[in-house]
Amino acid sequence: MAKSGFAKEALMSFIDRIVKLETEKQALADDIKEVYSEAKGTGFDTKVMRRIISLLQLDKGDLQEADAIESLYRTAVGLPTP
Amino acid sequence: MAKSGFAKEALMSFIDRIVKLETEKQALADDIKEVYSEAKGTGFDTKVMRRIISLLQLDKGDLQEADAIESLYRTAVGLPTP
Amino acid sequence: MAKSGFAKEALMSFIDRIVKLETEKQALADDIKEVYSEAKGTGFDTKVMRRIISLLQLDKGDLQEADAIESLYRTAVGLPTP
Amino acid sequence: MAKSGFAKEALMSFIDRIVKLETEKQALADDIKEVYSEAKGTGFDTKVMRRIISLLQLDKGDLQEADAIESLYRTAVGLPTP
DNA sequence: GATGCGCTTTAAATGC
DNA sequence: GCATTTAAAGCGCATC
């Protein structure tokens, strides 16, 4: 049992698995960064791209609602709506 | 002279000033957090509020341009425009 | 209520307060930058200064952190924590 | 060119690639979470595990950091760095 | 349900 | 000006 007997092997196994997964995860993060960099070099606005990607994650209703609230608040503070 | 003679006093003076300013800055950050918290309690969407505030920092032309690019990208990926 | 009736005045009030606070906060950030700039002009290494300041701010937490590390290693090895 | 002609296809390609990579990245994040969960179920303290893993990852940089600190203090005190 | 902590992401600063 | 590195902010989880 882990708590008292002290399963050193088990702990090391868990930790190894996590370290490995995190390594792969970091590699993907680097890939993503690279794609953004490439897109930027092609002339795209990466800031807007990031926003678009986050909007894509929303389901349709949520997106509409978010847009609606933003329109409302924009009007309230005197900003033009797109 | 700082580099060779070693102006310990001067260094400490600079550091003290910075620490003091950072303390005040942190206090303002806390105040801001509190206002957001109050707004949230009143029923406002703080995420949208943050966006509105960042949009307010832009000058008019920049805002229009950002909106235009976003519309373009939205259309390109099949998202509805607000 | 904010969502339906839509308290435009309340929203503007919150946003005004935040914008004001952020303005002051930014002013302090600028002041800090200026001090660093002045220090740099006097011959100090600002990177080192930043490091020292962060170390100074960590001083208090440092002991706690050392204690925490000991504690966690004890736990990891199955020893009781004090 | 992206800005005027507007390469819709290119944009969609970039975004698709990023979305795909982020999906994989999220899958790995979920895997990691699952391993922690399993470890927890086996009786390990996940907080401690996280701490240990972060310490393991810092091991390499640690020496460098120690050297850097010595270096910065030397500079602060006016001593030449090696 | 609230609070704190860690992670992720985003903005800024510096050096090339 | 661009790219890297570092600080700040926001977010979400986990705990109490």
Side-chain angles (χ1 to χ4, degrees), chain B residues 3 6 11 65 72-73 76-77, chain D residues 6 8 11-12 15 76-78:
Chain B
K3 218 167 186 174
F6 185 49
L11 178 60
E65 187 182 352
L72 204 56
Y73 288 11
V77 302
Chain D
F6 198 55
K8 184 177 172 178
L11 178 61
M12 286 199 57
I15 286 181
V77 181

Side-chain angles (χ1 to χ4, degrees), chain D residues 28-46:
Chain D
L28 285 171
D30 292 343
D31 288 347
I32 291 169
K33 237 178 102 178
E34 205 179 322
V35 177
Y36 274 117
S37 179
E38 188 183 343
K40 186 175 185 175
T42 313
F44 290 107
D45 182 332
T46 57

Side-chain angles (χ1 to χ4, degrees), chain A residues 23-73:
Chain A
T23 303
E24 298 173 24
K25 181 159 159 270
Q26 187 55 45
L28 285 170
D30 292 343
D31 289 347
I32 291 169
K33 231 177 108 181
E34 205 178 323
V35 176
Y36 274 117
S37 178
E38 191 183 340
K40 184 177 184 175
T42 313
F44 290 106
D45 183 327
T46 57
K47 190 175 175 180
V48 178
M49 284 179 65
R50 287 177 193 277
R51 180 164 158 83
I52 296 293
I53 286 167
S54 78
L55 295 179
L56 284 172
Q57 320 281 359
L58 300 177
D59 46 285
K60 203 175 171 181
D62 284 347
L63 174 57
Q64 290 180 353
E65 188 181 351
D67 284 340
I69 295 174
E70 183 174 327
S71 286
L72 203 57
Y73 288 10

Side-chain angles (χ1 to χ4, degrees), chain D residues 40-69:
Chain D
K40 186 175 185 175
T42 313
F44 290 107
D45 182 332
T46 57
K47 190 175 178 180
V48 172
M49 286 178 64
R50 287 177 194 277
R51 191 61 190 261
I52 289 173
I53 286 168
S54 79
L55 291 176
L56 286 174
Q57 293 173 337
L58 285 183
D59 266 357
K60 191 172 61 184
D62 241 2
L63 262 182
Q64 296 178 350
E65 187 172 358
D67 288 343
I69 291 175

